[in-house]
Amino acid sequence: MIRRKQSLSRLMKTVLALLLLCQTVSCGVEEEAEETTTEPSAPTMTVTPAVPGIGIGRVMPVAEEPNGIIVCIDAGHGFMDGGTGDGVLPDGLLEKDITMMIAQKLSEDLTMYGYTTLLTHDGETLPPAAVQDHIFNAYERADYANSIDMDYFISIHVNSAQNTEAEGSRIYYYDSSNKVKKIGGEVAERMGKAIEKNLPDDLDPVIVDQSTDPYNAFILCNQVNAPSSLVEIGFCTNPNDAGKMIRDDWQEQFAQSLADGINEYFKEYAE
């Protein structure tokens, strides 16, 4: 009896020891799991949405039916004639690059408004009107423009000056007796108002009547028979102007403003 009791006692002690051992191991696993799940996670970065600047995100006009009005667009300079901007504009850009970008955007905008557009050149192939094999000068462009049946002519340029404080756009026109219609000034005024509206952070454009000084008038203003204007979009020698004219969104808004001004006039007064 005594041996049986001792055996049972030993058995019970063994069972209790095993139970205590299992409990201890189980507790260790739970603590390890708890430590793993409570480890701090990496901090979450807060991203603030960018606020679009003025002029960004324009809404393209809904395409309209063709209205039969033809606008000829001239991208100033081109080919071997880079224009201004050498050593001033970044990334090796020249006047000819910026004027072509705006001319193409203007063509797209006017086409959406229902106009037929013609470019004097594409920046790669000299038109037959070019006498020389590497340039397309203002006299040749005027002759080429006069060979085209069109309603309005616009030439786009980049300005420069020794005075780096000179800034803002200029719109030149010449309503002389050789013009088919003397409406250059009226269209220029409407383009100027559209620039003021669409680009309120810019200086208001200066409208220049060159008929008051015919001897210093631009060839593409006074020798093109159709109503015409020459637009200087800004001064590449001014840091503020130069910083804007190389931006795609600013080019889009400027081109849209020119299109809006042209469209406003012809939509109201075209016969």
Side-chain angles (χ1 to χ4, degrees), residues 133-151:
D133 62 356
H134 66 284
I135 202 169
F136 187 30
N137 68 39
Y139 292 99
E140 293 166 357
R141 293 182 197 222
D143 290 341
Y144 180 61
N146 289 335
S147 70
I148 299 172
D149 181 16
M150 63 172 160
D151 299 281

Side-chain angles (χ1 to χ4, degrees), residues 2-57:
I2 294 173
R3 287 182 181 177
R4 186 178 296 178
K5 287 181 180 180
Q6 288 177 347
S7 298
L8 288 172
S9 177
R10 287 175 186 171
L11 179 61
M12 291 179 64
K13 287 180 180 180
T14 303
V15 171
L16 287 173
L18 289 171
L19 289 173
L20 287 172
L21 179 61
C22 290
Q23 187 175 4
T24 303
V25 172
S26 176
C27 289
V29 171
E30 289 178 0
E31 288 175 2
E32 185 178 353
E34 186 175 354
E35 288 175 2
T36 303
T37 56
T38 57
E39 183 178 348
S41 58
T44 303
M45 182 171 56
T46 303
V47 179
T48 304
V51 179
I54 292 175
I56 298 177

Side-chain angles (χ1 to χ4, degrees), residues 91-210:
D91 302 325
L93 286 174
L94 296 172
E95 177 177 5
K96 68 175 184 178
D97 303 313
I98 294 174
T99 59
M100 179 56 69
M101 294 174 194
I102 294 179
Q104 290 172 338
K105 289 176 172 65
L106 175 58
S107 177
E108 292 171 3
D109 293 336
L110 287 173
T111 299
M112 292 293 289
Y113 278 143
Y115 294 80
T116 298
T117 62
L118 302 170
L119 269 67
T120 58
H121 67 94
D122 61 6
E124 297 180 3
T125 306
L126 282 164
V131 176
Q132 303 179 44
D133 62 356
H134 66 284
I135 202 169
F136 187 30
N137 68 39
Y139 292 99
E140 293 166 357
R141 293 182 197 222
D143 290 341
Y144 180 61
N146 289 335
S147 70
I148 299 172
D149 181 16
M150 63 172 160
D151 299 281
Y152 193 74
F153 177 87
I154 180 170
S155 185
I156 301 167
H157 293 258
V158 172
N159 220 337
S160 65
Q162 291 185 341
N163 177 14
T164 57
E165 293 184 359
E167 62 181 321
S169 58
R170 308 279 191 276
I171 304 177
Y172 299 85
Y173 70 94
Y174 189 94
D175 285 342
S176 65
S177 58
N178 71 318
K179 295 290 183 179
V180 176
K181 293 181 180 179
K182 301 179 182 64
I183 63 171
E186 295 182 51
V187 180
E189 290 289 345
R190 283 166 173 74
M191 288 192 292
K193 292 294 183 184
I195 292 171
E196 292 176 25
K197 177 183 177 182
N198 295 338
L199 294 163
D201 285 351
D202 286 19
L203 290 177
D204 293 346
V206 178
I207 312 299
V208 183
D209 179 3
Q210 290 204 308

